[in-house]
Amino acid sequence: MIEIKLVVNDKPYTLEVEPSERLIDALRNRLGLLGTKEGCGEGECGACTVIMDGKTVNSCLVLAAQANGSVITSIEGVGNRRSPHRVQKAFVEVGAVQCGFCTPGMVLSAKNLLDKNSKPSNEEIGIAMSGNLCRCTGYDKILRAVKIAAEEGKE
Amino acid sequence: MKTSVVGSRVVREDAWGKVFGQTKFPADVNLQGQIYAVVIRSPHPHARVLGINSEQAMSLAGVVAVLTAKDVPNNSHGVLFRDQPVLAEYIRMVGDPVAVVGAETEEIARAAAKLVEVEYQVLPAVFDPEEAMRPDALPLHPTLRPTNVLYHMPIRRGNLQEGWAQADVVIEKEYSTQHVDHAFLQPEAVLAHVDERGHMVVETATQYAHYDRGEIAHALGLRFSQVQVKTLAVGGAFGGREDISLQIMAALMAWNTLRPVKMENTREESFYSHSKRHPMRMHYKTGATKDGKLVALEAKIIGDAGAYSSWSINVLRKSAVHASGPYVIPNVSIDSYAVFTNNPYSGAMRGFGAAQTVLAYESQMDLLAKEIGISPLEIRLRNLFKVGSTTATGQVLTGSVPLDQCLAKIAPYLQRGGDSQ
């Protein structure tokens, strides 16, 4: 077992993890953060996206040990029913949510884009969301939701 | 009629739970003391299981049980016919499940699965549906059908000979489509346990909770009232969750061990375990007059049902009914077949047999237009269904048939002629 220290959703944790344990396993099984979804286990679908030190990563491709010392945001760290993040609000209002399995990863990719670029172009939105697959094929509304969230953020 | 709902924008209530990551999919539920189960699947497309040796697997610390065909009270399931084994002794496709291993952790279950020795007698397999249709081909389901032809749907209208006599142009082509996987984003997962009433409770993502309940009850030899299926959030399905997948195996393991049982497919296992879109081979011969009026269609559609029936009959019926497209054709002969092979089994997927034939009949329209020298739009305008038209199956259309309006809307976007490459 390996001891790691990391900050998840603003809370510090010290965990004992297996050498082969993936970050998604540590988040889901050790911390009970079940909003992070596993769709493919090989970095294709983006359902397991989390924000690690300001970058979106596929948590199925990151070993828990590699996350030692990092700061992580999972979907549980973004908004709530009282005060949803503007990305979450836009996703609901535009109808960008169908089966919902890709949604946590989509929200995190969109949030991370807007954290860094408050006025993204359509192309920049497309690139930022390109690592997240939606098999219900609701891409048009997803991209529109990100655009609306971006516009709401501009003041 | 006035309504405040139709035409208005309605927020779907389940969307909030999904954007916060709170929604529970089957992989997200757990019970105290649960074990994990993993399936051992056949690497052969056609084989007999001669023996299964699970001694080594059972000796691994943490392994709770290894179940095989012998442990299934009624070893069959299936949506139309119960022609699919829960755990197979006779293998009809790669991916047929032969054993389930239950263990204290998923890692132990996966390690133990590798230690189960399965002895197969490999049999010659057939992958081409036209080959499988030959009368001398070995039938894969002899108790269900004497040959591999599971289904034949003939449609006849008018007089084909007269149709060809009127035709100035005839196009004859063969089209084919391939297997497609739904690849719904959430791989199959189940949590099964025997509750305090002694009832079998199965939590899963399914398109048919009531159907699953009947299948589980049948396979385990339980009464309907002893089985409860709870549908959690369904992470995409598109037809791929109509057939049962892990539900019976998880229930069987829970019933045998009296432990809660969790099963989760990897993406690879998911590809091996659920249905596919039917590959179809479509022979089309279509005739039209020089004015661009369709006069005759002869079509033969062969759908690869793969190893099990699933919904093949309904799917190939739909292919037959849609084979003439949205066009009036007075003389028609359509034959649609569903054929067993040793390929992965085919089932429901978005469009349900209607999607494949579009490739054939619309390509024929473009080729006819080119031959006649009119635009692809024009040939469609001259033949499309209107209110009062009769379809190839003899149905008189009385309802809304706004195809002309649809084409009128897209017409400005079409480049006239030369757009039918």
Side-chain angles (χ1 to χ4, degrees), chain A residues 25-95:
Chain A
D25 302 323
L27 293 173
R28 284 181 62 89
N29 304 337
R30 296 191 189 278
L31 302 182
L33 299 172
L34 298 168
T36 304
K37 305 300 179 191
E38 181 163 2
C40 70
E42 54 185 47
E44 287 291 337
C45 77
C48 66
T49 300
V50 297
I51 302 169
M52 179 168 153
D53 296 330
K55 280 187 179 165
T56 51
V57 295
N58 289 309
S59 60
C60 73
L61 293 186
V62 176
L63 288 171
Q66 288 176 297
N68 186 28
S70 68
V71 176
I72 287 168
T73 304
S74 74
I75 192 66
E76 290 84 355
V78 184
N80 59 48
R81 282 174 196 265
R82 293 257 155 66
S83 63
H85 187 276
R86 62 184 195 274
V87 167
Q88 289 165 320
K89 199 162 156 277
F91 264 61
V92 171
E93 285 172 0
V94 170

Side-chain angles (χ1 to χ4, degrees), chain A residues 28 34-35 37-40 45 75 79-81 84 88 91-94 97-103 133 135-136, chain B residues 9 11-12 15-23 25 27-28 181-187 234-236 238 267 350:
Chain A
R28 284 181 62 89
L34 298 168
K37 305 300 179 191
E38 181 163 2
C40 70
C45 77
I75 192 66
N80 59 48
R81 282 174 196 265
Q88 289 165 320
F91 264 61
V92 171
E93 285 172 0
V94 170
V97 178
Q98 293 188 57
C99 88
F101 201 74
C102 73
T103 307
L133 297 184
R135 279 296 288 169
C136 305
Chain B
R9 296 178 71 83
V11 167
R12 52 186 293 173
W16 287 112
K18 288 169 175 175
V19 294
F20 298 126
Q22 295 172 322
T23 302
F25 295 87
D28 305 330
D181 192 282
H182 315 75
F184 37 71
L185 206 53
Q186 173 223 338
V234 179
F238 322 128
R267 174 60 58 187
R350 287 180 161 188

